[in-house]
Amino acid sequence: MGDIGAAGNVSAGNDASFVEPASEPFDDDGGAADLRAEQLLADSMVKSSADAPTDAALDCVDVVVSSAASDGAASPVAVRPPSIGTTTAQAMDAFQRFTERLTADNVRLIKSFLALITKELANPSTEVREAAKACLDILVGVTGCSVTALLLPSRDRLLVPIFGKPLRALPHNMQIGNIDAITYCLSLDPPFLEINEELLRLLSEALALADAEDQALVNHPAQVRSNTASLTHLRHVCIRMLTAAMVRPEFADAKNTPTRARIISVFFKSLYHKSVEVVDAANDGLKQVLLQQQKLPRDLLQTGLRPILMNLSDYKRLTVASLDGLARLLQLLTNYFKVEVGRKLLDHMQQWANPQLLQAALEKSIEDMHEIKILVAILQVFHLLPSSAN
């Protein structure tokens, strides 16, 4: 890609000045309470084509809470939700205080119900996972306990199956369910997951999945087309989990620097993916990284910006997708770019907007002309250039 000069500029071919440098599980022998909780959860997962999954979750939790209150326990509706920043120990204390207000039967019912909900956070079905999260959100308001406190007693029910088998050994929908569950757990406050060897291994697996080509994620290349939707969703949830890990303060430890660099590289690479869903996730990941560190390593910048800079070197290589990618990078990395990128785009506009093209545009629908779309995409980049371009 060229050398970085004395001023630290990243170069690409002849365009040398485009860029600036820059616990124990619950006791499950509750008998009838277990069966009752299981039936309630099963009912909550039933979803008709017209009903949102959260509706069933609302009804499910409402039944449990009503049952607890009807047996003589104090009504918990006035309990305040937990405040951000509490420790895990404080969260568990809050849950303990809540259960002390219930009868023994209702304690077993609540615990069994929570154990079942916790397991469903990794369900292969998106609707089931969202219903389980909705149940937990409602229980937070009802009990005054954080999600962390509600999940901790049945932690092993969720994590042992996830960490017990490599992701690549599972079908795509199970991989997606496990990764989505870990992403959810990584976002909880107080922290639910430790950055330990098990989690780092799973992150490494997700990183490999996000970085792999579609052909490498199926048993036979002919299966790519029939699995496009699931492969895109898998790549999307992998990037979201990597983002959730990157924002954790513990993950900024020096020993994780190589892994962080690989994740940033995958974020850059995913910006050029054909799926908008994947591009948006990668864009959000880079945004979170830049909130943590103002400067990115030069080698990562070189690798990440090379596709854009190579496309800018020749007007014939410009595409609407590449210009959209440039616009995204300008929004994230404005200070890394110089005004020369604007001058280069002006040169390209003169090449595209020739008299023959403009004459042809009078006779055709503008929406059908590839050249006109490129000109519009170029114009949409100019307002994103550095302030020095004024």
Side-chain angles (χ1 to χ4, degrees), residues 12 45 97 100 122 144-145 154 179 206 245 266 278 283 296 299 313 327:
M45 300 307 174
R97 289 193 299 272
E100 287 173 354
C145 301
S154 48
I179 293 169
V266 167
V278 172
N283 187 70
L296 296 177
D299 58 332
S313 64

Side-chain angles (χ1 to χ4, degrees), residues 156-204:
D156 290 346
R157 276 180 175 253
L158 175 65
L159 299 183
V160 169
I162 293 176
F163 292 138
K165 187 174 289 189
L167 288 173
R168 292 296 292 268
L170 303 172
H172 291 150
N173 60 347
M174 291 186 68
Q175 292 181 41
I176 291 169
N178 287 354
I179 293 169
D180 188 57
I182 296 299
T183 303
Y184 178 74
C185 293
L186 280 170
S187 67
L188 296 177
D189 185 52
F192 177 74
L193 287 178
E194 299 177 5
I195 305 296
N196 55 23
E197 290 302 319
E198 286 183 319
L199 181 57
L200 290 174
R201 178 183 57 77
L202 191 72
L203 288 173
S204 179

Side-chain angles (χ1 to χ4, degrees), residues 123-340:
N123 194 287
S125 166
T126 300
E127 288 80 8
V128 174
R129 294 197 303 273
E130 294 304 315
K133 293 172 188 176
C135 288
L136 290 169
D137 287 342
I138 296 168
L139 284 172
V140 166
V142 169
T143 64
C145 301
S146 66
V147 174
T148 299
L150 297 175
L151 295 182
L152 275 173
S154 48
R155 183 177 183 274
D156 290 346
R157 276 180 175 253
L158 175 65
L159 299 183
V160 169
I162 293 176
F163 292 138
K165 187 174 289 189
L167 288 173
R168 292 296 292 268
L170 303 172
H172 291 150
N173 60 347
M174 291 186 68
Q175 292 181 41
I176 291 169
N178 287 354
I179 293 169
D180 188 57
I182 296 299
T183 303
Y184 178 74
C185 293
L186 280 170
S187 67
L188 296 177
D189 185 52
F192 177 74
L193 287 178
E194 299 177 5
I195 305 296
N196 55 23
E197 290 302 319
E198 286 183 319
L199 181 57
L200 290 174
R201 178 183 57 77
L202 191 72
L203 288 173
S204 179
E205 290 184 70
L207 183 56
L209 291 173
D211 194 30
E213 300 300 325
D214 286 349
Q215 291 82 354
L217 301 178
V218 293
N219 295 326
H220 192 278
Q223 297 175 328
V224 171
R225 178 171 294 183
S226 60
N227 287 276
T228 298
S230 62
L231 291 176
T232 299
H233 194 187
L234 176 60
R235 201 177 299 278
H236 174 250
V237 296
C238 284
I239 293 172
R240 287 183 59 246
M241 184 175 79
L242 296 173
T243 302
M246 288 288 278
V247 301
R248 287 284 294 267
E250 314 95 288
F251 197 61
D253 190 278
K255 66 180 181 181
N256 296 319
T257 298
T259 303
R260 289 179 62 88
R262 286 186 59 204
I263 291 174
I264 294 172
S265 178
V266 167
F267 287 165
F268 270 115
K269 178 182 177 181
S270 300
L271 285 177
Y272 310 109
H273 196 271
K274 56 184 177 292
S275 166
V276 175
E277 182 183 25
V278 172
V279 171
D280 286 343
N283 187 70
D284 182 63
L286 277 176
K287 189 182 300 182
Q288 295 299 324
V289 170
L290 291 168
L291 288 175
Q292 288 185 314
Q293 55 188 86
Q294 295 185 356
K295 289 188 176 181
L296 296 177
R298 292 183 299 175
D299 58 332
L300 290 179
L301 274 177
Q302 286 181 321
T303 303
L305 297 180
R306 182 180 290 120
I308 289 292
L309 298 179
M310 293 299 293
N311 285 332
L312 282 178
S313 64
D314 183 356
Y315 81 97
K316 294 180 180 180
R317 301 181 66 168
L318 287 181
T319 64
V320 173
S322 67
L323 289 165
D324 288 344
L326 174 61
R328 287 179 178 274
L329 287 170
L330 279 168
Q331 288 177 303
L332 290 173
L333 304 166
T334 303
N335 294 332
Y336 289 86
F337 285 86
K338 279 187 164 184
V339 297
E340 278 73 11

